Amino acid sequence: MTPAEPAPAPAAPDAAGLTHPRRDLDELLTHAVRFSVVAALSGVLKAEFGAVRDSVEVTTPMLSKQVALLEKAGYVEVEKGRVGRRPCTWISLSPEGSAAYARHVAALRAIAGLDH
Amino acid sequence: MTDMTPEAARDALADAARTSDRLRARARWASTKLAVTGIGMGLLTLAVGLVRSDLVGFAVFAAWGVLIAATAWWERRRTAHLPGTQQRTSRYWAASFALYAVAIACGVARPEGDAGFWVPAAVVVALPMVVGAVRERRA
């Protein structure tokens, strides 16, 4: 899986000299469903709510709740639109969300030992 | 801060890749549209060159119009979109239409019903869109 942006450089040691990659994990994206939602959106321009729900394999209320949290954090953009004549909700990843996803993936790869 | 084992990190990455692949597969509808309209353009070219009847010719152009309208209607109902789809697919459309114009321009000087010209011409006209359909399947 390749993030859309180049993997960011690992965080420099803080004052205490702590450099473990878990420090680069995004708190919001450590939630499995939110991470899956962002992962799904990272590969597309935009997707309809039902398509995201079916890809992530969660219920509608669960997805609504997680998308609301991601939207509040500025990671996703939600737009009302139509599929044919049927009203629908389109979801897309924001630039901030894309960057957060790339950082989180880089941290996961470092933890998983995939970058050695 | 979150504790995560290497195994959990690998599982999370694998799950993310699967989820991303599922939604991207749903977004690859341009491949189907290019294949259908490419074959349609090929058949249209064949009909222009080989059909002598005005009535049948009118029906062929009407069917082409219905095909374009149907594919546009179908496209509006897609629920996921890849970035850059329109930019990528427009060049295949442009190439097929350009080849169609060349085929027609060359074909007017040919003998009537010259299948030796029109069959290959139809294949050439359809080819850019068919190639585009294959490439979009891998987008």
Side-chain angles (χ1 to χ4, degrees):
Chain A
M1 171 176 62
T2 306
E5 300 174 7
D14 64 8
L18 301 175
T19 60
H20 196 282
R22 76 169 79 90
R23 298 173 57 77
D24 295 323
L25 289 173
D26 187 292
E27 284 295 321
L28 203 62
L29 298 184
T30 54
H31 187 284
V33 173
R34 288 195 290 269
F35 181 52
S36 289
V37 170
V38 171
L41 294 173
S42 68
V44 299
L45 176 66
K46 63 177 181 180
E48 194 262 334
F49 183 94
V52 177
R53 179 199 60 214
D54 295 342
S55 297
V56 177
E57 297 182 333
V58 293
T59 62
T60 296
M62 168 64 89
L63 183 62
S64 290
K65 179 181 175 182
Q66 303 311 324
V67 166
L69 289 169
L70 289 168
E71 186 183 20
K72 187 176 177 182
Y75 285 10
V76 302
E77 292 166 354
V78 178
E79 178 187 346
K80 298 294 182 184
R82 288 186 176 278
V83 171
R85 291 187 178 182
R86 179 173 60 85
C88 68
T89 300
W90 292 95
I91 311 170
S92 58
L93 200 61
S94 70
E96 294 78 13
S98 182
Y101 175 66
R103 285 192 300 272
H104 193 76
V105 165
L108 286 174
R109 290 181 63 83
I111 293 169
L114 294 175
D115 288 333
H116 297 298
Chain B
M1 195 180 309
T2 301
D3 280 331
M4 181 173 285
T5 64
E7 293 75 22
R10 277 193 286 273
D11 288 344
L13 288 168
D15 183 65
R18 280 192 298 271
T19 304
S20 178
D21 288 345
R22 273 198 291 270
L23 194 55
R24 280 186 71 83
R26 191 186 284 243
R28 289 192 189 98
W29 49 264
S31 175
T32 301
K33 183 177 178 183
L34 281 170
V36 168
T37 48
I39 292 169
M41 276 208 77
L43 292 174
L44 179 70
T45 304
L46 205 58
V48 164
L50 299 180
V51 168
R52 294 296 122 208
S53 161
D54 288 345
L55 185 63
V56 174
F58 174 79
V60 166
F61 275 94
W64 170 249
V66 168
L67 178 67
I68 294 301
T71 53
W73 175 87
W74 178 81
E75 179 179 336
R76 282 195 298 273
R77 278 156 179 75
R78 296 310 94 203
T79 55
H81 300 274
L82 293 177
T85 295
Q86 190 167 4
Q87 293 91 322
R88 284 194 312 277
T89 58
S90 61
R91 60 191 178 196
Y92 303 119
W93 279 86
S96 278
F97 272 97
L99 289 169
Y100 175 78
V102 169
I104 299 301
C106 294
V108 293
R110 309 293 298 184
E112 272 193 20
D114 183 2
F117 171 80
W118 288 105
V119 171
V123 171
V124 168
V125 166
L127 197 59
M129 285 199 187
V130 171
V131 167
V134 172
R135 297 183 76 177
E136 281 298 303
R137 181 56 54 187
R138 299 180 197 145

